[in-house]
Amino acid sequence: MYRKFTADWVFPVSSDPIRNGVVICKEDGTVEAVLSPEEAQSEGVLDGSMEVMEGVLCPGFVNAHCHLELSHMKGVIPPGTGLPSFIRKVITSRDAAAEVMQAAMEAADAEMHAEGIVAVGDISNLDVTFPVKQKSRLYYHTFVELLGIDPARAYQVVDHGKALLERLRALGLAGSLSPHAPYTASPQLLKAISTCAYEEDMILTLHNQECDAEHEMFISGTGDMMDVLKEVGIDMTVFRPTGFSSLASTLTHLSPCNSLQLVHNTCSKEEDVDKAGEFGFQLWWCLCPRANIYIENRLPDVEMLRRKGLRMTVGTDGLTSNHSLSMLEELKVIQQAFPSTPLQELLQWATLNGARFLGQSQHLGSLEKGKRPGLNLISQMNVQNLEFSEGSRIASVTFSGDPLK
């Protein structure tokens, strides 16, 4: 048995959008065909069994950056504090009762499913998310996040991360080791992580250039970021400013052989992008616009990133720095702030590019025969100009099976 869908627009993402296109799927959601109305007419599939929808049909979303582990902190930190103060509050307020954390994570996982998300690149410092992920209808790639500014403890930190990774994989879940950010990883830790990543062909992620204080720390060893790290008990006497940007200072210690996703990029400038390109990395640049606004009240220079032809992904960040886990709401913010960005491009960032980064593009990210990527309907939008409205909503089509499950 097959199910047939048509809408004002079908966005396969891997190919051009189709006005009044038709998507044919098996009962489990596997795509059988994507047709133009003319092809559908000639093949005789336009009959009473067609499910007619108003809006845009596209693949399920891939949330390339999330912090499921911190879901219980929703609303704890007020908006607009700036990153150094935000970090201080996360460190001092993240502890909670196990049942509180569990309930918040399960609710966040269910919210992402309801928002048409089929896969997540998730940051974990502990193993508390693992049972939720094992039961989830979503595909998760867990980045076991490592922090350590003391060079003498680099290998101890990596060994701890490896133990977490083993527990994760024993549950049949995907994952890799990753550094947290330039300002919390010594060169020795970066090199140790890079060695593991090279040996096991791991993908990496890194919080990148999130505020001006990060830049100041690496240029001169001063500023709000340095002060906060000292305040929370980190011995910063071992840190040496490099005189270069945090990104350039970090990339020099990582292998160019592994895919690396740079997240936030709030303060990245054109010279940073050019410098990063010199390292020859398989780089992905992740936008989490609502988190950028929540924390720093600013957005990355998306027009510059587009002009440089970078590979972009989109994430929601976690509920610590966001009001919800909606990829559609992230895309709305980008389109409103940068209206020259075509819908096709936005959807590619939010679907196929995320799937490619996570190594799941053979299954997810685009409407192509043989894939089971999930199917989303974006309704209440301007289908003439392909623009979102304030009331645009997402609804995922329910099939008998979930992607990759």
Side-chain angles (χ1 to χ4, degrees), residues 108-141:
D109 175 75
E111 178 186 348
M112 284 193 280
H113 184 267
E115 288 290 338
I117 294 169
V118 297
V120 185
D122 188 63
I123 304 294
S124 290
N125 301 105
L126 308 168
D127 61 1
V128 293
T129 65
F130 297 178
V132 178
K133 292 169 179 174
Q134 190 179 28
K135 295 185 295 183
S136 175
R137 292 169 289 183
L138 311 183
Y139 170 84
Y140 281 92
H141 182 102

Side-chain angles (χ1 to χ4, degrees), residues 134-173:
Q134 190 179 28
K135 295 185 295 183
S136 175
R137 292 169 289 183
L138 311 183
Y139 170 84
Y140 281 92
H141 182 102
T142 298
F143 295 99
V144 176
E145 185 177 75
L146 305 181
L147 302 84
I149 203 71
D150 183 356
R153 296 189 65 253
Y155 288 100
Q156 181 181 344
V157 171
V158 169
D159 286 343
H160 174 71
K162 285 181 176 179
L164 279 175
L165 196 58
E166 286 180 9
R167 292 206 287 275
L168 178 81
R169 290 173 174 172
L171 298 173
L173 298 168

Side-chain angles (χ1 to χ4, degrees), residues 257-269:
C257 298
N258 299 89
S259 288
L260 171 64
Q261 178 177 252
L262 302 173
V263 181
H264 293 305
N265 314 298
T266 319
C267 306
S268 297
K269 297 180 172 58

Side-chain angles (χ1 to χ4, degrees), residues 174-220:
S176 53
L177 303 180
S178 275
H180 165 246
Y183 51 85
T184 55
S186 67
Q188 289 78 7
L189 178 58
L190 292 169
K191 290 174 183 176
I193 293 171
S194 185
T195 298
C196 293
Y198 178 78
E199 291 174 348
E200 296 192 33
D201 195 24
M202 295 178 183
I203 59 175
L204 303 171
T205 193
L206 176 79
H207 295 80
N208 176 58
Q209 296 181 310
E210 299 172 83
C211 66
D212 292 327
E214 178 180 332
H215 181 71
E216 183 180 355
M217 174 178 166
F218 277 82
I219 294 296
S220 62

Side-chain angles (χ1 to χ4, degrees), residues 51 74 108 129 139 219 265 277 305 325-326 332 365 367 375 403:
E51 298 181 46
K74 181 178 182 180
T129 65
Y139 170 84
I219 294 296
N265 314 298
L305 298 175
L325 301 177
S326 168
K332 287 182 186 180
L367 301 178
L375 186 62

Side-chain angles (χ1 to χ4, degrees), residues 332-353:
K332 287 182 186 180
V333 169
I334 300 172
Q335 189 178 73
Q336 183 174 16
F338 306 97
S340 63
T341 310
L343 182 60
Q344 168 80 349
E345 199 168 334
L346 289 172
L347 291 178
Q348 180 172 334
W349 299 349
T351 58
L352 186 55
N353 280 11

